[in-house]
């Protein structure tokens, strides 16, 4: 469920007409709904009720500080995957005790930054990384809380580029070697083992892969405890998928996911962490774009819009499907027609949809990409020297620009010309 609905024939974000935002900030832009963000966070929080837990929003999905602040105000922790994200979370007011650091390539600088600024835990992904954390913690005379990310070798049944829990993937340590690696961790100074971490992929649309992974984690918990380790926290990752179309079967709800967690690991008495990103932000955001031209090809009509692959790369990168709807609701009885919906970037991959049925559209009309809140703005680039598009946050009848569109000068002046040139 989201808060982008037609009212009197016009598409709204909560109580604000999208056409009003377009007139104020120009197109294309991203717009997020506070009510949807809050609703999705609460679904997860409520799903784990009765268990000691923390929902750590995977901020790589959408990392604007206004979004982080909205979620942190509800008690969210943050899952960060870089020093930049760590700094961003801190800047948004999230305390170190609520920040979890994931990722396979944490640098010495990043480890030092987190140990100095405060960290809830590092999710350690390899032995060499563990050595580095141990060294730096010892040098700083602090204890680094760690979990070790295990790779359970389960098939998440998702797009290959976002599957992370198979043996062939670069993530985590093979679960078969977990006991050995925990023994190493226990022998190193400066580390405090607190639990286990697992994350098997993104946009999962079934519960079975989670169940397989979580059962393996439960079994490992018992083994590690028998080996004498204190396992008091389980980080179960993110990955629950969202419906990108309203026609397809809906993925499981957070309530069912929460019930599964209770079933698989509830008996262990551990504190539970989860790291949802897409499900919190995905359907809380739209990308709104304007039709520049309608162009007739040999055998098709192209809808050339001002949004492009550099603004929303998911279709080009993952063949992802986004619902694209007109901002003015078509009148009853209007026959749809097929369009290839494309951006202005000089690549054929800059195609959002082929043969998509839309009401007849003309230059100047606005269209909205649904489910664009996660892995949208954060993956944008300035390819073709196209400015990063603004982000707007709506709350009730108010809206605010939460990241402004840079001017051409701002973009160009980031280059520096050597004095010898
Ligand atoms: C990307 C990622 C997540 C979030 O995944 P979603 O599919 O957006 O829920 C959580 N944890 C880790 C370690 C990740 O890399």
């Amino acid at each position: 469920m989201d808060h982008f609905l037609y009212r009197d024939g016009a598409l709204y974000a909560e109580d604000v007409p999208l056409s009003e935002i377009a007139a104020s900030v120009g197109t294309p832009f991203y717009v997020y709904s506070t009510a949807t963000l809050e609703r999705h966070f609460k679904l997860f929080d409520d799903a784990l009720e009765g268990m000691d837990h923390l929902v750590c929003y995977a901020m790589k999905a959408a990392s604007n500080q206004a979004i982080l602040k909205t979620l942190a105000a509800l008690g969210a922790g943050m899952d960060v995957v870089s020093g930049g994200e760590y700094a961003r979370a801190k800047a948004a007011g999230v305390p170190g005790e609520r920040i979890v650091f994931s990722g396979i390539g944490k640098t010495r600088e990043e480890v030092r930054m987190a140990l100095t600024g405060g960290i809830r835990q590092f999710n350690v992904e390899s032995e060499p990384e563990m050595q580095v954390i141990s060294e730096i913690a010892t040098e700083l005379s602090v204890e680094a809380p760690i979990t070790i990310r295990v790779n359970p070798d389960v098939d998440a049944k998702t797009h290959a580029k976002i599957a992370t829990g198979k043996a062939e993937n670069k993530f985590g340590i093979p679960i078969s070697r977990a006991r050995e690696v925990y023994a190493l961790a226990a022998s190193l100074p400066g580390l405090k083992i607190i639990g286990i971490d697992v994350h098997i992929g993104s946009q999962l649309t079934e519960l079975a892969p989670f169940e397989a992974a979580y059962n393996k984690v439960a079994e490992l918990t018992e083994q590690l405890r028998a080996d004498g380790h204190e396992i008091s926290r389980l980080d179960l990752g993110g990955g629950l998928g969202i419906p990108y179309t309203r026609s397809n079967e809906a993925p499981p709800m957070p309530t069912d996911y929460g019930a599964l967690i209770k079933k698989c690991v509830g008996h262990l008495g551990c504190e539970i962490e989860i790291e949802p990103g897409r499900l919190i932000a995905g359907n809380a955001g739209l990308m709104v774009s304007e039709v520049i031209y309608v162009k007739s090809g040999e055998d098709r009509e192209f809808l050339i819009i001002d949004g492009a692959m550099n603004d929303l790369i998911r279709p080009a990168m993952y063949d992802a499907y986004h619902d694209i709807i007109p901002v003015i609701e078509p009148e009853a009885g209007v026959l749809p027609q097929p369009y290839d919906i494309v951006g202005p970037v000089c690549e054929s991959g800059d195609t959002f949809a082929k043969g998509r049925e839309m009401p007849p559209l003309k230059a100047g009309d606005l269209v909205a990409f649904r489910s664009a809140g996660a892995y949208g703005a954060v993956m944008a680039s300035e390819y073709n020297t196209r400015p990063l598009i603004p982000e707007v946050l709506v709350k009730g009848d108010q809206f605010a620009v939460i990241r402004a569109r840079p001017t051409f000068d701002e973009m160009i002046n980031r280059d520096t010309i050597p004095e010898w040139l």
Side-chain angles (χ1 to χ4, degrees):
M1 205 209 105
D2 63 43
H3 296 78
F4 303 108
L5 298 168
Y6 288 112
R7 259 190 228 174
D8 303 325
L11 191 60
Y12 275 64
E14 300 191 21
D15 300 327
V16 183
L18 290 178
S19 55
E20 188 182 324
I21 302 176
S24 160
V25 308
T27 55
F29 62 89
Y30 279 102
V31 55
Y32 306 98
S33 153
T34 299
T36 312
L37 287 167
E38 291 181 340
R39 178 188 143 81
H40 289 167
F41 173 79
K42 285 184 192 142
L43 281 176
F44 278 113
D45 207 28
D46 292 350
L48 296 180
E49 212 185 292
M51 305 180 82
D52 187 9
H53 71 272
L54 183 68
V55 179
C56 293
Y57 169 60
M59 62 178 273
K60 74 174 191 279
S63 59
N64 190 289
Q65 288 181 65
I67 293 174
L68 305 186
K69 253 183 152 30
T70 299
L71 296 171
L74 302 178
M78 296 294 152
D79 174 51
V80 308
V81 293
S82 71
E85 283 195 350
Y86 178 86
R88 203 177 258 276
K90 291 296 283 283
V94 182
E97 316 83 77
R98 280 203 271 149
I99 302 177
V100 168
F101 208 138
S102 299
I104 64 164
K106 301 174 199 79
T107 64
R108 286 176 176 269
E109 292 68 35
E110 287 172 330
V111 169
R112 195 179 304 275
M113 181 179 186
L115 281 175
T116 314
I119 192 77
R120 179 176 177 82
Q121 96 228 7
F122 291 100
N123 293 334
V124 176
E125 300 234 12
S126 67
E127 287 136 301
E129 182 192 58
M130 189 188 287
Q131 303 270 10
V132 163
I133 297 173
S134 161
E135 250 175 71
I136 297 174
T138 307
E139 181 195 310
L140 296 172
S141 307
V142 295
E143 216 171 33
I146 65 159
T147 70
I148 296 174
R149 177 168 176 180
V150 293
N151 184 327
D153 194 19
V154 302
D155 184 353
K157 301 208 174 71
T158 184
H159 191 287
K161 285 187 186 162
I162 47 177
T164 60
K166 286 281 286 170
E168 71 209 47
N169 300 132
K170 66 183 180 180
F171 300 96
I173 56 142
I175 198 162
S176 55
R177 285 186 44 234
R179 294 173 76 182
E180 185 189 317
V181 180
Y182 273 86
L184 171 67
S187 75
L188 291 175
L191 301 181
K192 181 170 169 49
I193 298 172
I194 53 168
I196 307 174
D197 171 46
V198 72
H199 170 73
I200 57 173
S202 195
Q203 186 55 15
L204 272 70
T205 52
E206 295 170 35
L207 287 180
F210 288 116
E211 185 169 13
Y214 297 168
N215 283 334
K216 288 190 178 191
V217 167
E219 194 184 326
L220 180 62
T221 304
E222 314 258 18
Q223 285 173 354
L224 292 175
R225 282 177 172 170
D227 290 347
H229 301 292
E230 221 183 279
I231 303 296
S232 58
R233 185 181 293 168
L234 300 178
D235 182 333
L236 300 175
L240 194 57
I242 62 171
Y244 277 96
T245 65
R246 279 162 296 171
S247 46
N248 273 15
E249 229 176 281
M253 290 290 291
T255 10
D256 302 323
Y257 175 68
L260 176 80
I261 290 176
K262 268 177 215 169
K263 188 179 96 179
C264 296
V265 300
H267 59 288
L268 297 167
C270 288
E271 180 184 10
I272 302 300
E273 270 170 14
I274 53 170
E275 305 168 341
R278 189 187 307 270
L279 202 145
I280 290 179
N283 286 331
L286 303 180
M287 183 179 81
V288 178
S289 183
E290 186 177 300
V291 176
I292 309 176
Y293 298 114
V294 181
K295 165 170 161 170
S296 297
E298 179 83 19
D299 58 353
R300 63 192 66 209
E301 294 283 289
F302 292 103
L303 205 59
I304 304 174
I305 62 174
D306 62 2
M309 65 187 287
N310 69 296
D311 306 313
L312 177 64
I313 204 172
R314 299 189 65 260
M317 186 145 96
Y318 312 121
D319 298 315
Y321 180 98
H322 284 269
D323 262 346
I324 305 171
I325 59 173
V327 165
I328 301 298
E329 192 174 20
E331 286 179 21
V334 171
L335 284 184
Q337 66 169 89
Y339 288 105
D340 280 16
I341 303 178
V342 301
V345 162
C346 306
E347 304 224 7
S348 294
D350 187 20
T351 297
F352 290 116
K354 286 189 171 165
R356 185 70 64 89
E357 296 284 338
M358 301 285 289
L361 290 163
K362 58 181 190 314
D365 286 346
L366 298 175
V367 294
F369 286 67
R370 296 177 59 85
S371 314
Y375 307 105
V378 286
M379 283 190 165
S381 76
E382 290 181 345
Y383 186 40
N384 281 205
T385 307
R386 291 168 49 87
L388 290 182
I389 69 179
E391 294 180 284
V392 173
L393 183 66
V394 170
K395 181 174 187 168
D397 60 3
Q398 341 168 47
F399 73 92
V401 174
I402 56 174
R403 188 184 69 195
R405 193 190 314 273
T407 63
F408 290 152
D409 279 346
E410 280 165 346
M411 283 196 292
I412 294 162
N413 291 337
R414 270 188 241 130
D415 299 353
T416 51
I417 311 279
E419 61 186 29
W420 40 260
L421 190 66

